[in-house]
């Protein structure tokens, strides 16, 4: 298998300097030019589909059906950001006219605008080789915001990273833009990522990956002489609360749906459900039985790499044999693919053992049996910040459901009342980010069109000349 050779310190410095040199021109380029580049990148991806999907499947084992869909999603979001630019979303303006007189009633004219922050360091993810990689959402949103980008390729799909970057670089050149608009460095070594975050030209960072790696880079970003914002998506166990009403009405179908969400992509989704909260009643017991049967019938594919597989094996090993925990399903590996694991425990054991609240990246889930709504809320409050929380059966306006929704909103960035958390829509209303440690900044999203806001800094122009206001309106 091809591996990435670590970029040298000189190469990293050169890439960052090229991004810095190109940044002013790209920040002030007409919106139409950004639109053209984003659409051209989408076209290039889809034109090279067959070769790229073949490379991606060889390196990730994700399957051509999944990868074709992911390529289409990547192209969709590139075009989507282009449409947002055409609608003026990257140049928000709030204009307060002058008011004669002394403060506080009187004031000068103030015009609040947004400016690109500068070169962005983008760390590609392993589990989405198109949508969260070289031309994924972080790159697309940063380019749309008017920022140049230095990509840190992921070592899990090196050939694909190079192929996509070559396509992208050709698009940049064809538009007559400087190569510094989009640069890439590579390597599996920690020093590459650290050098990229430390480079003085870098103005912001975007990361999707492990808690350990993300926290280390976040600390580096904040330890710089000039700290920079670092938008990291780290880890999440995505609890699902299945209330008795929902399970009594549709328990078997919900169990089948949940099993698919736990095993899709071999459980290697940041939104994979890792904890399910049910009551100690007949409908819930039937649901858990169906869930175990559905998981037993699933056939996960091989994991992305040996490191992720080792982490999964260690994670499920920690759960087996813990006090108060029973293993309901522990399927053996099938060649290179791991089997699914399902555990059950009670609320008291879950609250007492922090290991039960740790993410296991792969097809594994812990069922927590509770007696009532009070114990349900205690379980949710014990869970650290998550990307999602799913509430089945909370449709009626009751005091208990209001308490449940408040608890879910306190720990998650997206609260679902139907469906499963895997599958993240790319849209203006999306929020893919939650409280620590799911992300380093719960106020932002890495999916959806609001992702541009991470790379735009507000500036108030006081009594600005007309030419400046007019120029912003015509860009």
């Amino acid at each position: 298998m091809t591996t990435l050779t670590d970029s040298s310190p000189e190469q990293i410095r050169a890439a960052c300097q090229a991004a810095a040199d190109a940044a002013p021109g790209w920040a002030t380029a007409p919106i139409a030019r950004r639109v053209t580049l984003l659409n051209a990148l989408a076209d290039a991806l889809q034109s090279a589909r067959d070769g790229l999907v073949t490379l991606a499947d060889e390196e990730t084992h994700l399957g051509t059906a999944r990868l074709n869909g992911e390529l289409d999603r990547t192209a969709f979001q590139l075009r989507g950001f282009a449409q947002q630019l055409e609608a003026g979303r990257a140049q928000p303006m709030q204009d307060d006219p002058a008011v004669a007189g002394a403060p506080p009633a009187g004031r000068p004219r103030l015009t609040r605008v947004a400016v690109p922050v500068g070169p962005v360091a983008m760390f590609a993810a392993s589990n989405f080789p198109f949508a969260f990689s070289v031309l994924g959402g972080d790159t697309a949103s940063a380019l749309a915001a008017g920022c140049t980008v230095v990509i840190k390729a992921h070592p899990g799909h090196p050939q694909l990273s190079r192929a996509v970057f070559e396509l992208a670089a050709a698009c940049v050149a064809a538009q007559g833009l400087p190569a510094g608009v989009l640069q890439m460095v590579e390597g599996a070594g920690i020093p590459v990522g650290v050098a990229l975050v430390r480079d003085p030209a870098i103005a912001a960072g975007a990361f999707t990956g492990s808690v350990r790696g993300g926290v280390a880079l976040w600390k580096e970003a904040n330890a710089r002489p000039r700290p920079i914002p670092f938008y990291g998506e780290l880890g999440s166990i995505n609890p699902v609360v299945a209330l008795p009403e929902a399970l009594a009405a549709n328990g078997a179908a919900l169990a089948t749906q949940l099993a698919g969400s736990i095993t899709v992509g071999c459980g290697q989704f940041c939104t994979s459900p890792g904890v399910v909260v049910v009551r100690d009643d007949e409908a819930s017991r039937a649901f858990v039985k169906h869930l175990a049967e559905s998981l037993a019938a699933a056939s996960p594919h091989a994991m992305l790499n040996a490191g992720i597989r080792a982490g999964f094996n260690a994670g499920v090993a920690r759960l087996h044999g813990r006090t108060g925990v029973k293993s309901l399903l522990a399927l053996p590996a099938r060649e290179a693919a791991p089997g699914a694991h399902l555990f059950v425990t009670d609320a008291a054991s879950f609250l007492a053992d922090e290991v039960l609240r740790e993410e296991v990246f792969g097809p594994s889930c812990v069922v927590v049996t509770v007696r009532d709504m009070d114990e349900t809320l205690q379980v949710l409050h014990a869970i650290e910040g998550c990307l999602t929380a799913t509430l089945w059966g909370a449709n009626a306006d009751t005091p208990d459901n209001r308490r449940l929704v408040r608890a879910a909103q306190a720990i998650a960035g997206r609260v679902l009342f139907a469906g499963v958390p895997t599958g993240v829509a790319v849209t203006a209303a999306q929020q893919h980010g939650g409280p620590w440690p799911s992300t380093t900044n719960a106020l932002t999203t890495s999916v959806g069109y609001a992702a541009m806001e991470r790379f735009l800094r507000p500036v108030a122009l006081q009594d600005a000349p007309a030419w400046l206001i007019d120029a912003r309106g015509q860009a």
Side-chain angles (χ1 to χ4, degrees), residues 131 219 233 461:
K219 289 180 177 178
E233 181 203 302
L461 306 176

Side-chain angles (χ1 to χ4, degrees), residues 122-437:
M122 196 290 288
F123 290 79
S126 63
N127 57 339
F128 284 87
F130 289 113
F132 282 82
S133 191
V134 174
L135 287 180
D138 287 334
T139 298
S141 56
L143 289 174
C147 297
T148 56
V149 180
V150 181
I151 300 157
K152 163 63 170 64
H154 196 281
H157 44 268
Q159 294 184 77
L160 178 67
S161 297
R162 289 172 181 161
V164 173
F165 179 72
E166 287 171 4
L167 280 177
C171 288
V172 169
Q175 301 296 323
L177 297 167
V181 168
L182 197 63
Q183 292 282 294
M184 189 174 86
V185 299
E186 52 184 60
I190 293 173
V192 175
V194 170
L196 183 56
V197 168
R198 286 179 176 175
D199 194 277
I202 295 299
F207 171 92
T208 300
S210 69
V211 174
R212 180 180 178 183
V215 169
L217 291 171
W218 171 76
K219 289 180 177 178
E220 289 287 348
N222 284 282
R224 290 169 37 127
R226 179 175 63 88
I228 59 172
F230 185 85
Y231 302 108
E233 181 203 302
L234 310 180
S236 181
I237 62 172
N238 307 299
V240 175
V241 177
L243 296 175
E245 296 85 349
L247 299 187
N250 205 23
L254 288 171
T256 300
Q257 187 179 23
L258 183 61
S261 183
I262 293 169
T263 57
V264 65
C266 199
Q268 299 166 124
F269 280 25
C270 53
T271 52
S272 181
V275 171
V276 181
V277 184
V278 300
R279 296 288 173 86
D280 186 9
D281 59 22
E282 183 177 348
S284 297
R285 285 189 286 272
F287 165 78
V288 174
K289 181 175 181 291
H290 281 297
L291 177 59
E293 292 170 348
S294 297
L295 287 172
S299 298
H301 54 68
M303 302 196 89
L304 289 164
N305 57 59
I308 289 177
R309 177 64 180 275
F312 173 74
N313 291 342
V316 294
R318 283 194 299 272
L319 294 174
H320 283 288
R322 297 199 76 79
T323 301
V325 177
K326 179 182 177 182
S327 174
L328 297 181
L329 184 71
L331 295 181
R334 301 170 184 173
E335 297 180 355
H341 291 250
L342 184 65
F343 304 88
V344 65
T345 190
D346 57 24
S349 299
F350 185 83
L351 296 173
D353 190 348
E354 64 180 14
V355 170
L356 302 182
R357 305 192 293 274
E358 294 176 357
E359 179 185 28
V360 177
F361 197 59
S364 173
C365 187
V366 176
V367 175
V368 183
T369 301
V370 298
R371 292 174 296 185
D372 50 30
M373 181 57 72
D374 285 341
E375 282 198 345
T376 300
L377 298 178
Q378 289 172 21
V379 167
L380 287 183
H381 288 313
I383 293 172
E384 292 186 298
C386 293
L387 295 170
T388 74
T390 302
L391 310 177
W392 288 340
N395 297 322
D397 185 359
T398 67
D400 271 355
N401 284 346
R402 289 192 174 207
R403 293 167 65 204
L404 182 61
V405 171
R406 285 196 298 272
Q409 289 177 332
I411 65 166
R414 177 163 57 106
V415 179
L416 295 80
F417 296 88
V420 290
T422 46
V424 185
V426 181
T427 182
Q430 186 58 269
Q431 175 60 26
H432 190 63
W436 183 278

Side-chain angles (χ1 to χ4, degrees), residues 112-117 452-460:
R112 184 183 173 94
V113 299
V115 299
V117 297
M452 274 193 297
E453 296 170 8
R454 297 174 297 171
F455 310 120
L456 291 168
R457 181 173 60 82
V459 174

